[in-house]
Every structure is written in structure tokens, then in C-alpha cells.
Amino acid sequence: MSLKNVSLQQFTFRTGVVAAAMVAVWSGFTGTAGANPTDPVAQFTSTLTRVPGSNCAAILNAETVAQPQSGTFGVRVKITQTGQSCGAYYLTVHWKNVGTGLTSGQSQKVEGTSVVGLPDNVITGMGMGPGAGKVEAWIDTYSEVYPQNADLEHIAGRATFTLG
């Protein structure tokens, strides 16, 4: 192996390391890229709801979960359900950014004590980005019935928190 080949290999290796580091920085792999670690966990008041089925009801306790992007949040839901032959229903996390007036939310299907398809019952996604500022959030429940969804009898859980 000649000296030229060794130098070329070292140059190629160093260039690859520098390029990989730059890609990691640009794509956010080196940190939380905009997450605000000072965003406190906010507890929602309990949501109490009737659930489709025979004498079915549920208590939904929820808390916010920090997300890797600034101005977004997730919600972890813990569900206690009673009754027999209880059916599925939907919960919706609604929010309003008090400063900007922006409102939105996200619905997820619930079966038993699980939010369908979400690990650890943590709701995240496109509907969970109110931006920085004071946020008011609440949780409602509904049943998917033809021809129109019907709100379930419930007392909405609420929380107010600030996102950085």
C-alpha cells in the first residue's frame, strides 16, 4: 500500500465522519431540536363518561407529555372502565392557544382501557401543535353511530398550561 492510498483513505474517512455529523445536526439527531424542557407536566381534571354498553362508564385521567418539537404536546391517558360488554368510543383532546386564538384537536378510538394503536396511551400528532403560549385543553367523548356521531354523556377533563 502506498503513502498516497493511506492518505486518500484517511481523507475519505474524515470526510465521511464530518458529513455524518453535519447530517445529524441538520436533522436533529444530536438533541431535542426545539423541545422546551421547562414545559411542565399538566394534569387534566378527570373526564367522567358513559360508555356504550350495559351500565358502562369510564374515568379518564390524563396528563401532558413533552414533545421533541417546540409548541407541541402529547397527552397520556389512563382509563378505568366499568360495566359489561362495553363498546368502543372516541375521545377528543381539544385545545385553544389563548394568545393566538388558534384552536384544533385530535380524536382517537378507545377500546376498553386502551387508546387504539398508541403505545402507552400517549396521543400525539398533527392536531397537537398549538404553538408557544398559554393553552387551554379539554377532553370530550363521543360514539361513532350512523348517520352522525353522538356525544356521550360526560364531564370534560380540563387543563391549562404554557408551551415554550
Side-chain angles (χ1 to χ4, degrees), residues 3 16 25 46 48 65 73 77 79-80 90 97-98 100 108 119 123 125 156 162:
L3 186 56
V25 169
S46 295
L48 308 173
V65 177
F73 69 102
V77 184
I79 304 165
T80 305
Y90 290 81
N97 184 314
V98 176
T100 64
Q108 296 294 144
I123 300 167
T162 302

Side-chain angles (χ1 to χ4, degrees), residues 117-130:
L118 297 179
D120 299 326
N121 285 351
V122 176
I123 300 167
T124 60
M126 301 280 290
M128 304 300 281

Side-chain angles (χ1 to χ4, degrees), residues 6 28-29 38 47 61 76 84 92 100 106 118:
V6 171
F29 292 135
T38 61
T47 301
N61 291 307
R76 177 178 291 114
Q84 298 175 356
T92 303
T100 64
Q106 184 165 323
L118 297 179

Side-chain angles (χ1 to χ4, degrees), residues 21-33:
M22 291 173 65
V23 167
V25 169
W26 288 331
S27 61
F29 292 135
T30 60
T32 55

Side-chain angles (χ1 to χ4, degrees), residues 26-70:
W26 288 331
S27 61
F29 292 135
T30 60
T32 55
N36 192 345
T38 61
D39 287 346
V41 172
Q43 300 291 326
F44 283 74
T45 58
S46 295
T47 301
L48 308 173
T49 187
R50 290 191 186 248
V51 175
S54 179
N55 294 319
C56 295
I59 301 170
L60 305 141
N61 291 307
E63 65 185 7
T64 59
V65 177
Q67 295 299 296
Q69 196 170 22
S70 181

Side-chain angles (χ1 to χ4, degrees), residues 4 12 14 18 26 31 34-37 52 55 70 95 107 127-128 133 139 151 159 162:
K4 279 185 169 181
T12 304
R14 287 181 189 149
V18 169
W26 288 331
N36 192 345
N55 294 319
S70 181
W95 54 260
S107 294
M128 304 300 281
I139 298 173
D151 286 341
T162 302

